[in-house]
Amino acid sequence: MGLEKNTAGKWVVFAYGGPDHASAGLYITGDASNITANIRIDGGAANAIDDTNPTELEDGFYVFDVTATETNGDLLLICPESASSDVIVIGAPAVVHTVAPNFNALGIESDGDLTKVNTLHGHTAQTGDTYALANGSAGFVAIDTVVDSILTDTGTTLPATLTTIEGKVDTVDTVVDTILVDTADIQPKFVGITLLNEWLGALMGSQAADATALSEIAATGAGSGTYDEANESLEALRARGDAAWTTGGATGNEWQLVDTTIATLASQTSFTLTAGSADDDAYNKLTIVVEDASTSTQKCTGRIADYTGATKTVTLVEDPGIFTMAATDKVYIFAEKDSTVAGVGAIEWDIEVEDTGNNVLEGVSVWITTDAAGANVVAGTLVTDALGIVTFYLNAGTYYVWRYSANYTFATNPTTTTVA
């Protein structure tokens, strides 16, 4: 902002909300009638501006009209304020160093002259092509000294500098020649590669490569000469984890049948799988492991009572009760070697173990035989839960139930049970 000394002009101020104002830190509008200001000229006393209230512009900016008397100084300070509560007003700017009158009217013409300065006063016009040299012969001596210095630099300093530069250029030329030789050696090793970054992206990561890179990779590959970066890059193989190694037979985990997730969950004993067999009862009586999606160290195991292939619905024998299972949790189903511990029959059969006072016994080992001598074990050993119950899977028929506890002696052992 420039105000000309002793010349009427305009002074802009800005209003904004103080810390306790509802619009703290934001500009304030509609406050012109509450804003006043003093002017201090050259550090002197405060004088109220003749323009009692400013005119509002926009976005918190207001403008005072100041008189020639109010600008008659070299250093002007404006001190605005608002009568409104917690409204702060500042000058924009607060301090102005005035310039000479008509300073703002100066301009530069197309020929480079300052406007209104084309005619000089008090000078002697120069004519002709020879001029008197200031200081006479002394002036010539000064020029001669300068010329001698230039000749010295031209004859000694500059040639030495140019020689140094030439040596640097020779060094660069030698390095470039070496690079060209190395490039010639390397180039044959990259024959068939158009863009190395596309090759690396396709081989190392699973992002899509352009068609040229995929064509070049396929042309240099073995076997069928095809390549799928989504499944065959290092990142894709690592992402598959155990499932990839199981498919390749590398881990020996031949008992893992399913590696998937919970799609929907009706209860803690009934949920659907994202992927699984289309055959009913394909996973009946097998062991299932559920891993929490957010905390992989949380795992629980259960036994599958029934499986519906059409909907991929799993029904557990009971709630594992370790943590609350939810959709997206990881699911693994195993065809364990000892998966017949509960029996291989078609009928789910509960055995309840009690003492002589009809009190349930927890922690009792129970197994099933087809003979009273106990030689032909067909299911077990299972251990009773807190309700004194174990669940077997048996076919129809009569079986012998054997029980053992270190804390209790059974008067009759075995007992018989008829499955129907």
Side-chain angles (χ1 to χ4, degrees):
M1 171 182 178
L3 283 175
E4 295 179 4
K5 185 175 181 179
N6 199 27
T7 303
K10 294 183 181 291
W11 202 323
V12 175
V13 298
F14 178 76
Y16 65 97
D20 297 325
H21 196 278
S23 299
L26 302 178
Y27 60 77
I28 302 299
T29 61
D31 201 46
S33 61
N34 295 317
I35 297 175
T36 58
N38 291 332
I39 281 185
R40 290 179 180 267
I41 303 173
D42 294 330
N47 295 295
I49 294 180
D50 289 347
D51 187 10
T52 304
N53 301 112
T55 300
E56 183 172 356
L57 298 176
E58 63 177 320
D59 295 342
F61 288 97
Y62 302 78
V63 62
F64 282 100
D65 290 318
V66 290
T67 65
T69 300
E70 292 169 335
T71 64
N72 191 16
D74 297 321
L75 178 67
L76 307 180
L77 168 66
I78 189 168
C79 300
E81 63 179 0
S82 173
S84 299
S85 177
D86 207 37
V87 172
I88 299 172
V89 188
I90 59 174
V95 175
V96 172
H97 293 271
T98 58
V99 297
N102 299 315
F103 179 86
N104 293 334
L106 288 176
I108 298 177
E109 298 181 342
S110 60
D111 60 359
D113 292 333
L114 290 175
T115 304
K116 299 182 180 179
V117 194
N118 282 331
T119 301
L120 297 178
H121 300 279
H123 79 289
T124 300
Q126 298 293 316
T127 60
D129 57 1
T130 59
Y131 303 95
L133 182 66
N135 298 322
S137 60
F140 280 111
V141 171
I143 293 174
D144 182 62
T145 300
V146 172
V147 170
D148 287 344
S149 296
I150 294 173
L151 291 174
T152 299
D153 291 339
T154 305
T156 58
T157 305
L158 288 180
T161 301
L162 292 175
T163 300
T164 301
I165 294 174
E166 183 179 7
K168 299 293 185 183
V169 172
D170 290 341
T171 300
V172 172
D173 181 61
T174 300
V175 173
V176 170
D177 288 342
T178 301
I179 293 173
L180 291 175
V181 171
D182 292 341
T183 303
D185 291 338
I186 295 173
Q187 186 176 7
K189 297 177 176 60
F190 288 92
V191 172
I193 297 178
T194 301
L195 293 174
L196 183 59
N197 65 315
E198 291 289 345
W199 272 65
L200 293 175
L203 295 173
M204 305 300 293
S206 56
Q207 70 264 32
D210 69 0
T212 299
L214 288 177
S215 176
E216 291 169 349
I217 292 171
T220 58
S224 62
T226 60
Y227 180 76
D228 177 10
E229 70 275 20
N231 294 304
E232 298 174 275
S233 67
L234 291 180
E235 181 180 352
L237 292 177
R238 179 63 187 87
R240 291 186 62 192
D242 291 342
W245 316 139
T246 300
T247 302
T251 64
N253 188 11
E254 66 272 19
W255 303 106
Q256 181 175 306
L257 299 181
V258 176
D259 177 355
T260 185
T261 58
I262 295 177
T264 61
L265 187 119
S267 69
Q268 293 297 294
T269 58
S270 179
F271 48 82
T272 63
L273 303 179
T274 302
S277 174
D279 299 322
D280 289 340
D281 305 326
Y283 308 131
N284 286 10
K285 306 178 184 63
L286 299 185
T287 296
I288 185 170
V289 176
V290 181
E291 176 184 299
D292 186 78
S294 58
T295 307
S296 61
T297 56
Q298 280 194 312
K299 294 180 174 66
C300 65
T301 61
R303 186 73 63 180
I304 298 175
D306 186 58
Y307 176 74
T308 303
T311 58
K312 298 180 178 59
T313 299
V314 169
T315 302
L316 301 183
V317 172
E318 60 183 356
D319 178 4
I322 302 300
F323 64 91
T324 301
M325 297 179 289
T328 75
D329 283 353
K330 288 284 291 181
V331 171
Y332 308 95
I333 298 176
F334 296 92
E336 297 177 287
K337 293 178 180 178
D338 60 348
S339 63
T340 59
V341 68
V344 295
I347 301 173
E348 182 179 319
W349 196 255
D350 291 339
I351 301 294
E352 184 178 32
V353 179
E354 299 177 339
D355 60 16
T356 55
N358 295 327
N359 299 307
V360 298
L361 297 177
E362 181 181 4
V364 177
S365 297
V366 182
W367 64 96
I368 305 294
T369 68
T370 57
D371 62 312
N376 185 31
V377 179
V378 294
T381 300
L382 297 181
V383 179
T384 57
D385 60 18
L387 299 177
I389 295 175
V390 290
T391 302
F392 292 102
Y393 293 90
L394 305 170
N395 291 319
T398 299
Y399 297 89
Y400 294 88
V401 180
W402 298 80
R403 297 156 296 167
Y404 169 78
S405 173
N407 302 315
Y408 185 80
T409 300
F410 295 94
T412 303
N413 204 24
T415 60
T416 60
T417 184
T418 300
V419 178

